[in-house]
Amino acid sequence: QVQLVESGGGLVQTGGSLRLSCVVSGGRTNDLSLGWYRQAPGKRREFVAGSSRDGIEGTADSVRGRFTISRDNAKNTVYLQMNSLTVEDTAVYYCNFDLGGSYFALLGKGEGDDWGRGTQVTVSS
């Protein structure tokens, strides 16, 4: 069974950077499409960035140009590099996966899926 553990969150000032990590166990990142998501207080969970098994990568409009997803298959880890952070980026960040190769399957992840504990990112003004 594939399990994911997020880490790397913390408190940062506006304009700062953080890199989140998501370690995958029970499966190989080579075989998975992987995505990052976030949920701010009082809001629904939303897609942030995705990396399909077939090599397609993308980010949500709200973070494009600031956030980058990458993966290290040797370490079975996917990362989210976050730059130029704003208070609107404050949220709990989660990673999730899809066994298929479709990038679009990552966009459809929602409350019916299993989620880990996430990692808290707080951006102060």
Side-chain angles (χ1 to χ4, degrees):
Q1 184 176 357
V2 176
Q3 294 186 320
L4 306 99
V5 177
E6 305 94 342
S7 65
L11 175 63
V12 64
Q13 290 186 328
T14 297
S17 298
L18 282 174
R19 188 177 79 157
L20 306 183
S21 300
C22 173
V23 177
V24 178
S25 61
R28 301 190 312 162
T29 52
N30 308 57
D31 299 329
L32 304 173
S33 295
L34 294 156
W36 283 98
Y37 305 79
R38 67 185 181 185
Q39 186 167 22
K43 295 188 178 181
R44 298 182 66 178
R45 200 183 327 250
E46 64 176 357
F47 170 84
V48 174
S51 171
S52 79
R53 187 183 64 190
D54 299 337
I56 298 173
E57 294 182 347
T59 53
D61 290 346
S62 58
V63 305
R64 192 161 297 141
R66 301 187 298 121
F67 290 12
T68 304
I69 188 171
S70 63
R71 57 169 80 200
D72 185 336
N73 290 329
K75 295 183 177 180
N76 239 29
T77 301
V78 61
Y79 302 100
L80 185 68
Q81 178 66 44
M82 307 187 296
N83 299 327
S84 302
L85 285 161
T86 73
V87 294
E88 287 74 27
D89 296 317
T90 295
V92 179
Y93 284 72
Y94 304 86
C95 59
N96 214 320
F97 72 98
D98 190 88
L99 292 174
S102 170
Y103 173 84
F104 296 100
L106 296 174
L107 302 179
K109 290 291 181 182
E111 296 312 309
D113 295 288
D114 292 330
W115 296 92
R117 299 182 64 178
T119 186
Q120 175 71 48
V121 172
T122 303
V123 185
S124 64
S125 59

